[in-house]
DNA sequence: ACTCACAAACTGACTAAATCACTTAGCCAC
DNA sequence: GTGGCTAAGTGATTTAGTCAGTTTGTGAGT
C-alpha cells in the first residue's frame, strides 16, 4: 500500500520548509509554484496543504500567501475538530489536569529559571486585567509547565488548555472567582520561586481541586 | 475574516457523522455525494476531507470509500507530521514521561478496575513475544494510563508514545533489555493490583529512569 | 518632496468536466 | 460450492479556467 501522492507531497513540502530553514511566520512557495515544481496540479497541492493546515504546520492567508504555522514543530497538539463540550468532558479534563499538573509544578519548582519566574509573574498579573487585553497569550498554567524546562510538557498543557478555551467563558460566567484564582496562582509562584517542590505540588493540587468543585457545583451547560 | 468554505465543510461533515451516530469504522457518504449534497465540487470536498484525515477523524480507502477514523473523538493527538527525531528529542520525551507517568501510575493504582488489570497483564506478556505478533496494539504504558479511568490521560500517553514508534526500533537495537522491562512492568502491575499508589509511582519512576539512562548512554543516532 | 489613488500582478478559493486506478459484489461458468 | 470475470461504485488526479482578496509600485495631484 504505497503512500498516496498527496501524502508524499506533504512530506516534500515539510522538507522544503525544514531544508529552507523556514520558521513560523515565514512564507512558503505559492500553490501554483509548488504545483509547477512537483509537476502536478494545484488541487493536489491544495489537498496536501490542507492536511498541513489541519495540524497547524501551515496557515493560509487569502490573497497574500501560505505561511509556516506556529505549531509545526509540535509533537502533540489539540484536536482542531473537537467534539462538543459537556459538563462531564470538562470534569474529565480537570481530573486529568489534577493528575498531571501537580507533578509538573513540582518539576518546575526544581528547574525554574529566572526568566520563567518573570513570565509567571506576568501571567499572574495579566489575569487580573479585564478581558479584552491583548496579552492573553500568557496562560498561567502553560507558563507553569514551561518553567519545567521541558517544551514537551508545555505542549501537553497547552493542548489540554486549548480545548478548554471554548468553555472558558462558560466557566467564567458560572464561577468568576478571579480574586481567588489570583491568590492561589500567586501562592504557587511563590513556592516555585522558593524551589519548594512539595509545596508547589500541593498548592497546584488544591487549586485545581477548587476549580473542580466549582464546576461540579455548576448546573449542566447547554 | 469569514471561515473558508472548506472550513465550514469540515464542520458540516463532522455534523453528518455525529448526527448520524456514526462510529469509528463506519462509512461516510462518498465524496461525489457530499459534493452533490452541498452543491459544491469534489476538489473542495476533498480538501475538507483531507483536513479531517490529517487529524484522524476520517480515513480514506482507495476504491472502497471514506470511513470514520479511530481518533475522531480525541481531544489531544500526536502530530502526524513529526519533526525528525534526535537523541535530544528522545531524552526530552523520556523526561516528560518521567514527570507525568509516575503520577498517572499512582492514580491508576487507586482507580484500576478488574478489567484494567486483565489488559495490563496481557500487555506485559504480549511484550515478550517476538515482534511480528499482531497483538502489538496493547502498549503497557498506554494501558497503565487507561487504568486511571480517565480517557484523557490515556490519550495523552498514547499521543506521546505514538511519536516514539519511529525510534522504538532504534532504542530496541541499542538497548534490547526485554527481560528487564518485563520484570519492571510486572512489578508495576503488582503494585497497581495491590492498589499501592506510592509503590506504583516509585516503580514507574525508576523504570523510566532506567530507560533514560540507557538512552543517555547510547551513541547519537543518525 | 510627499501623499494618496489606482492599477497591475501576485496570491489563495473554487468551479467544471473528465479520466485513471482500485475495490467490491454479483454473476456465470466450471 | 469455487474460481474467475465483469460491472458499478469509489477515491486519485488532471486540465483549464474564473473569482476574490492582498500587495506593490507607479503616477497624478498637492
Amino acid at each position: 500500500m504505497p503512500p498516496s501522492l498527496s501524502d508524499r507531497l506533504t512530506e516534500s513540502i515539510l522538507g522544503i520548509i525544514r531544508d529552507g530553514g523556514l520558521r513560523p511566520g515565514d512564507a512558503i512557495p505559492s500553490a501554483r509554484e509548488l504545483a509547477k515544481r512537483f509537476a502536478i496540479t494545484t488541487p493536489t497541492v491544495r489537498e496536501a496543504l490542507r492536511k498541513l493546515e489541519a495540524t497547524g504546520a501551515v496557515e493560509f492567508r487569502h490573497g497574500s500567501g501560505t505561511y509556516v504555522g506556529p505549531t509545526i514543530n509540535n509533537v502533540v497538539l489539540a484536536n482542531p475538530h473537537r467534539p462538543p463540550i459537556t459538563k462531564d468532558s470538562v470534569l474529565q479534563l480537570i481530573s486529568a489536569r489534577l493528575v498531571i499538573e501537580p507533578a509538573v509544578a513540582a518539576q518546575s519548582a526544581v528547574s525554574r529559571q529566572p526568566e520563567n519566574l518573570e513570565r509567571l509573574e506576568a501571567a499572574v498579573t495579566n489575569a487580573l486585567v479585564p478581558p479584552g487585553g491583548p496579552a492573553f497569550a500568557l496562560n498561567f498554567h502553560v507558563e507553569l509547565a514551561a518553567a519545567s524546562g521541558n517544551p514537551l510538557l508545555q505542549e501537553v498543557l497547552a493542548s489540554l488548555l486549548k480545548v478548554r478555551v471554548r468553555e472558558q467563558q462558560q466557566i467564567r460566567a458560572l464561577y468568576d472567582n478571579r480574586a481567588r484564582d489570583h491568590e492561589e496562582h500567586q501562592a504557587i509562584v511563590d513556592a516555585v520561586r522558593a524551589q519548594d517542590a512539595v509545596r508547589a505540588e500541593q498548592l497546584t493540587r488544591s487549586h485545581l481541586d477548587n476549580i473542580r468543585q466549582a464546576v461540579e457545583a455548576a448546573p449542566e451547560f447547554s
Side-chain angles (χ1 to χ4, degrees), chain A residues 117-214:
Chain A
L117 292 173
E118 275 178 41
R119 295 177 65 88
L120 273 170
E121 287 288 2
V124 168
T125 55
N126 278 350
L128 269 191
V129 298
F136 218 85
L138 286 183
N139 178 294
F140 174 77
H141 293 270
V142 173
E143 288 304 322
L144 184 59
S148 72
N150 191 319
L152 225 53
L153 288 176
Q154 185 180 359
E155 276 184 34
V156 170
L157 259 294
S159 298
L160 285 176
L161 291 178
K162 192 168 191 176
V163 178
R164 202 183 134 234
V165 165
R166 272 208 310 194
E167 89 253 17
Q168 206 162 18
Q169 297 91 335
Q170 294 200 341
I171 291 184
R172 281 266 164 87
L174 296 170
Y175 165 75
D176 189 346
N177 205 331
R178 226 169 284 170
R180 183 179 185 172
D181 260 23
H182 180 260
E183 263 181 41
E184 295 177 347
H185 284 174
Q186 186 65 59
I188 293 171
V189 173
D190 291 343
V192 168
R193 184 189 308 276
Q195 297 196 309
D196 186 339
V198 175
R199 190 153 57 97
E201 180 173 351
Q202 213 228 307
L203 286 172
T204 301
R205 197 188 314 277
S206 65
H207 171 51
L208 287 170
D209 206 55
N210 286 339
I211 295 178
R212 187 182 60 76
Q213 285 177 24

Side-chain angles (χ1 to χ4, degrees), chain A residues 25-45:
Chain A
D26 291 347
I28 68 175
S30 75
R32 284 176 177 86
E33 181 178 336
L34 288 173
K36 215 180 296 178
R37 195 181 303 190
F38 292 108
I40 56 181
T41 55
T42 56
T44 308
V45 172

Side-chain angles (χ1 to χ4, degrees), chain A residues 13-171:
Chain A
I13 294 173
L14 284 173
I16 288 178
I17 294 174
R18 299 215 166 96
D19 297 347
L22 301 183
R23 308 196 37 160
D26 291 347
I28 68 175
S30 75
R32 284 176 177 86
E33 181 178 336
L34 288 173
K36 215 180 296 178
R37 195 181 303 190
F38 292 108
I40 56 181
T41 55
T42 56
T44 308
V45 172
R46 289 182 60 79
E47 279 186 31
L49 288 173
R50 284 287 186 205
K51 280 177 61 170
L52 293 173
E53 184 201 20
T55 62
V58 306
E59 269 180 4
F60 292 104
R61 292 183 213 161
H62 188 165
S64 173
T66 309
Y67 299 82
V68 177
T71 64
I72 186 172
N73 287 319
N74 268 35
V75 168
V76 52
L77 33 88
N79 189 344
H81 313 303
R82 338 181 170 90
I85 284 174
T86 65
K87 182 173 174 179
D88 278 351
S89 74
V90 174
L91 286 172
Q92 193 177 84
L93 172 60
I94 297 178
S95 297
R97 291 178 58 194
L98 254 167
V99 172
I100 293 176
E101 285 199 50
V104 171
Q107 178 64 42
S108 293
V110 174
S111 307
R112 97 287 186 284
Q113 299 295 314
E115 161 203 341
N116 299 128
L117 292 173
E118 275 178 41
R119 295 177 65 88
L120 273 170
E121 287 288 2
V124 168
T125 55
N126 278 350
L128 269 191
V129 298
F136 218 85
L138 286 183
N139 178 294
F140 174 77
H141 293 270
V142 173
E143 288 304 322
L144 184 59
S148 72
N150 191 319
L152 225 53
L153 288 176
Q154 185 180 359
E155 276 184 34
V156 170
L157 259 294
S159 298
L160 285 176
L161 291 178
K162 192 168 191 176
V163 178
R164 202 183 134 234
V165 165
R166 272 208 310 194
E167 89 253 17
Q168 206 162 18
Q169 297 91 335
Q170 294 200 341
I171 291 184

